[in-house]
Amino acid sequence: MTGSSALMAIGHILMCYTLFFSFHANKAFGYGATVVESNKSHAPPSCSGTTTGLRVVHKYGPCSPSGLRKTSAVASQILVQDKLRVRAMNSRLHNRRTIGLEGEGTTDTYLQNDLPGAGNFLVSVGFGTPLQSFNLALDTGSYVTWVQCEPCTESPCPQQQNASLYYPSFSSTYSNAPCSPWCNYTQTYLDKSKSGGVFVLDTVSIGQDYQIPEFIFLCAVPDKETGDFGEADGILGLGLASSGDEFATYSLATQTANLFGRVFCHCLPSSSNSGYVYFGEKAREQCPFSGTYTRLLRNPVSGDSYYFVNLIAITLGQKKVEVPSGILSSPGTIIDSGTVITHLPSSVYSELSQEFDRLMSEFPPANPSDDGVLKACYNLVDQDNLAIPEMVLHFENLDVNLDQTAVTWKGNDDMSQVCFAFAAKENEGDVTIIGNHQQQKLNMLFNIPDRRLEIGPGKC
């Protein structure tokens, strides 16, 4: 990969951030169903969850710093952004260049290696001295950390600060990154928008426990015409970098290898709670070994660019469906915190959605999601004692019971559109992706040196 293509990829992430359960049963479904009382209260939920570690909040929950709510329009927007991210990831793996939305004349609008996404989960990270905190999207699918900023290129530097921007010149610990000639970049996109920035070096504070001096990250400049980058101020990149990537040494895992040992754990919350990220020994302590793990595998095509695992089968209620080996070549499944909805081979999705429809047959159907990603949807307004079929992901050497909130997706607050929260892959050659909606309330411990992924019940 050339330096320019890598910079295109990182730059377009910035632009893309501007876009931004349950079943009734008067009689039980039998084995593999969890019954929950419906909550008809319209009182705003309180923010609860852990107070230790690096706190993770849902962008549309009560813990969100922006105070946004997940309306039907927001839910639709999330799914549109998610579709683009999935296409971008497969574009990167297959060297494809066409991933725009249908009907928009968007061929080649998003170039290879671009990774747009909804950025649903936010963490607060401090930059510079004195420390200034920013809300970054947590992303295991990208490895460069960036924050929107305003570098000072003219003298005198501005005295008035925008609280949403990092100002390198105002930090006493800032310096230029040793990345010549690729520190500076600009990128113009086919829709005429622009993004650009510079790699810088400064102290970064992660949670209350760690200050990392001389950390290299991307100082991304907002385009004055298109505005800022959305609710997220940037990205905390927890992903892997292939050895051939131009900026592989700038990944958080590499820069903190001596401090954290390339080990971290996260628990992604439901929208009503907060979660956490821990690093190094604290990750091992707070996300204790459950006794089993699945291997982190190297994909023969992409190398170590994503966290690949071997997904063998999925069980919904009493029905177990085998997952065929990826056409791309096994392993063909990615664990990704930046993708929302899990995307499955069409044959697997078809069997599971038919079983979902069978279990839901007594309820009125609802329209599919606006973007067509979620097709099996039902109207569950005023339904009491909602029964949610249990769902299990069967990985190599590891079975993972999903939380009940991970099985369905609510298109709005009134339960009039409750959908099976899985989608079919657009192309059979695409990778299977386990999205963040299915990772909710699970401890996910990534042990990169030992190439292990441990998954167990979380406390978020």
Side-chain angles (χ1 to χ4, degrees):
M1 181 175 67
T2 66
S4 59
S5 64
L7 293 170
M8 286 183 191
I10 298 164
H12 201 69
I13 298 172
L14 318 183
M15 179 193 73
C16 288
Y17 269 86
T18 58
L19 303 173
F20 284 98
F21 276 7
S22 326
F23 313 93
H24 170 70
N26 291 321
K27 58 182 184 298
F29 284 142
Y31 173 79
T34 302
V35 177
V36 263
E37 294 292 328
S38 64
N39 180 9
K40 294 184 178 181
S41 171
H42 295 288
S46 61
C47 175
S48 60
T50 181
T51 57
T52 63
L54 182 60
R55 194 179 192 216
V56 182
V57 301
H58 196 287
K59 185 165 65 174
Y60 300 106
C63 302
S64 171
S66 64
L68 295 176
R69 292 187 61 195
K70 183 184 164 187
T71 63
S72 58
V74 167
S76 178
Q77 184 183 56
I78 290 173
L79 295 177
V80 168
Q81 285 300 102
D82 201 46
K83 177 185 284 190
L84 292 178
R85 179 183 177 94
V86 169
R87 289 181 179 178
M89 292 174 72
N90 282 291
S91 176
R92 178 175 182 178
L93 291 167
H94 293 277
N95 199 28
R96 293 198 299 256
R97 294 177 63 86
T98 303
I99 61 173
L101 294 175
E102 297 89 347
E104 296 181 359
T106 52
T107 299
D108 289 347
T109 296
Y110 295 95
L111 302 181
Q112 178 187 354
N113 296 337
D114 293 339
L115 292 173
N120 279 353
F121 293 98
L122 303 177
V123 293
S124 179
V125 177
F127 290 82
T129 306
L131 179 145
Q132 188 177 0
S133 295
F134 298 95
N135 297 310
L136 307 186
L138 183 72
D139 192 358
T140 60
S142 58
Y143 65 88
V144 171
T145 293
W146 63 264
V147 65
Q148 56 183 352
C149 77
E150 186 65 51
C152 179
T153 58
E154 300 177 357
S155 183
C157 292
Q159 297 301 308
Q160 182 67 34
Q161 294 190 52
N162 182 333
S164 65
L165 299 178
Y166 161 74
Y167 289 79
S169 58
F170 291 175
S171 172
S172 62
T173 48
Y174 151 77
S175 63
N176 292 321
C179 50
S180 178
W182 297 114
C183 274
N184 300 289
Y185 79 91
T186 57
Q187 176 63 37
T188 303
Y189 302 96
L190 296 184
D191 63 359
K192 308 304 181 184
S193 65
K194 296 180 181 180
S195 64
V198 59
F199 282 97
V200 299
L201 184 152
D202 206 340
T203 297
V204 170
S205 298
I206 297 180
Q208 299 177 354
D209 299 315
Y210 299 105
Q211 279 197 337
I212 306 169
E214 299 182 340
F215 185 83
I216 299 174
F217 57 94
L218 186 65
C219 166
V221 182
D223 179 29
K224 289 181 173 56
E225 294 182 4
T226 59
D228 60 24
F229 304 132
E231 297 303 324
D233 298 320
I235 285 179
L236 181 67
L238 299 182
L240 293 170
S242 294
S243 57
D245 288 348
E246 292 285 346
F247 307 105
T249 58
Y250 297 169
S251 71
L252 186 146
T254 298
Q255 293 192 72
T256 62
N258 291 336
L259 182 62
F260 299 141
R262 296 167 66 86
V263 173
F264 69 93
C265 171
H266 67 63
C267 185
L268 303 180
S270 66
S271 60
S272 60
N273 298 318
S274 66
Y276 47 80
V277 183
Y278 293 100
F279 297 90
E281 287 305 313
K282 286 204 171 185
R284 299 178 192 272
E285 294 171 5
Q286 299 296 327
C287 303
F289 183 45
S290 60
T292 56
Y293 65 89
T294 193
R295 293 182 298 152
L296 289 174
L297 302 172
R298 180 180 176 84
N299 187 278
V301 174
S302 65
D304 286 330
S305 59
Y306 296 111
Y307 293 109
F308 279 94
V309 293
N310 190 7
L311 179 65
I312 297 172
I314 300 176
T315 296
L316 175 64
Q318 295 180 323
K319 185 176 183 62
K320 186 175 183 178
V321 180
E322 304 293 325
V323 177
S325 297
I327 294 175
L328 178 66
S329 68
S330 186
T333 300
I334 292 171
I335 299 283
D336 180 35
S337 71
T339 299
V340 179
I341 298 297
T342 290
H343 286 70
L344 301 170
S346 59
S347 60
V348 176
Y349 170 78
S350 178
E351 288 193 59
L352 291 174
S353 63
Q354 287 176 25
E355 178 67 6
F356 182 86
D357 285 336
R358 185 185 72 80
L359 295 172
M360 298 297 296
S361 60
E362 63 183 280
F363 302 109
N367 291 329
S369 61
D370 290 343
D371 64 346
V373 170
L374 304 182
K375 302 181 184 301
C377 302
Y378 290 84
N379 185 339
L380 301 181
V381 172
D382 295 330
Q383 303 294 342
D384 297 325
N385 300 325
L386 306 175
I388 301 190
E390 292 183 358
M391 202 161 188
V392 182
L393 302 183
H394 303 281
F395 297 98
E396 176 188 298
N397 195 47
L398 177 65
D399 292 340
V400 177
N401 294 283
L402 297 185
D403 186 80
Q404 60 187 26
T405 59
V407 179
T408 58
W409 171 271
K410 297 178 183 177
N412 45 47
D413 290 335
D414 65 4
M415 301 289 287
S416 63
Q417 187 189 48
V418 178
C419 304
F420 185 49
F422 293 78
K425 298 189 294 189
E426 288 189 307
N427 301 288
E428 285 306 301
D430 290 350
V431 293
T432 298
I433 301 174
I434 306 298
N436 60 43
H437 193 72
Q438 280 66 48
Q439 297 175 44
Q440 291 179 99
K441 301 185 180 181
L442 294 173
N443 279 344
M444 313 276 293
L445 189 141
F446 296 78
N447 184 332
I448 299 172
D450 295 337
R451 306 197 72 83
R452 288 164 51 152
L453 174 62
E454 301 171 17
I455 307 177
K459 298 179 181 179
C460 66

